[in-house]
């Protein structure tokens, strides 16, 4: 068996740790805190995002272990997580737009900005992030036989998710 570099596996584990530390209090450990339950759209998005990161770690682990057939066979199913994640992400953004009344004020105005423009820019950035995520997943999946492109596209998609 050929020696494989652990870079992609290590980076994916670091991304998993970032997700668990970042979303631990508000998502994973929420039942242990005195926080209100999350709405369904946030639960679906959180579960699908977590599933993606766990899948990426497993995929890179299998490659690290030389189990490329398992990686290829199960990777087809793991790729179905991406559209669920993107759809749920747009669902979350739809609620955020309604909740925060984000709108696009003129670039030059004398009006006092109450934060709506900032929130609109955040939501716009999130839309771009979701589209880029989906684009890199597509490039990675489309180039799954070209490992140089495949693993880098999937890593970039995962970084965008974090």
């Amino acid at each position: 068996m050929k020696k494989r570099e652990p870079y992609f596996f290590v980076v994916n584990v670091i991304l998993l740790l970032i997700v668990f530390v970042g979303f631990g209090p508000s998502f994973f450990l929420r039942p242990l805190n005195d926080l209100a339950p999350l709405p369904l759209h946030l639960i679906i998005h959180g579960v699908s995002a977590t599933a993606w990161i766990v899948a990426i770690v497993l995929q890179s682990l299998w490659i690290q272990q030389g189990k490329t057939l398992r990686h290829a066979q199960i990777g087809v199913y793991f790729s179905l997580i991406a559209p669920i994640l993107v759809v749920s992400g747009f669902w979350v953004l739809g609620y955020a737009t309604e909740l925060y009344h984000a709108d696009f004020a003129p670039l030059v105005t004398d009006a006092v900005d109450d934060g709506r423009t900032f929130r609109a820019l955040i939501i716009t950035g999130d839309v771009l992030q979701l589209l880029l995520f989906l684009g890199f997943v597509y490039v990675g999946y489309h180039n799954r036989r070209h490992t140089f492109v495949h693993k880098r596209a999937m890593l970039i998609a995962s970084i965008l998710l974090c």
Side-chain angles (χ1 to χ4, degrees):
M1 182 170 74
K2 152 175 129 171
K3 174 108 170 88
R4 300 177 192 279
E5 290 296 322
Y7 175 78
F8 288 94
F9 174 69
V10 170
V11 172
N12 286 318
V13 168
I14 290 170
L15 292 177
L16 178 67
L17 292 174
I18 289 170
V19 167
F20 279 122
V21 168
F23 291 98
S26 63
F27 187 72
F28 301 110
L29 301 176
R30 192 175 195 90
L32 303 176
N33 298 322
D34 291 332
L35 300 172
L38 288 173
L40 181 63
H41 63 283
L42 291 177
I43 293 170
I44 291 172
H45 184 64
V47 167
S48 62
T50 303
W52 176 267
I53 294 295
V54 169
I56 287 296
V57 169
L58 286 173
Q59 288 289 83
S60 59
L61 174 64
W62 290 328
I63 288 297
Q64 182 67 29
Q65 294 173 339
K67 298 176 181 177
T68 55
L69 184 59
R70 178 182 291 170
H71 169 89
Q73 290 171 334
I74 297 177
V76 172
Y77 299 106
F78 281 163
S79 68
L80 299 175
I81 297 169
I84 295 167
L85 176 57
V86 171
V87 168
S88 69
F90 279 111
W91 190 12
V92 168
L93 289 175
Y95 273 94
T97 302
E98 182 180 320
L99 178 65
Y100 296 117
H101 306 289
D103 63 4
F104 292 92
L107 292 177
V108 179
T109 180
D110 293 333
V112 175
D113 185 6
D114 62 359
R116 291 185 299 182
T117 302
F118 177 74
R119 289 189 293 269
L121 290 173
I122 294 295
I123 289 170
T124 302
D126 288 345
V127 167
L128 290 173
Q129 175 266 330
L130 284 170
L131 293 174
L132 283 170
F133 168 80
L134 193 57
F136 276 102
V137 169
Y138 172 77
V139 168
Y141 184 79
H142 182 72
N143 289 286
R144 60 194 179 277
R145 287 177 176 63
H146 302 91
T147 59
F148 184 86
V149 175
H150 172 74
K151 57 189 173 183
R152 285 162 178 79
M154 292 303 194
L155 179 61
I156 292 169
S158 299
I159 290 170
L160 283 166
L161 184 59
C162 289

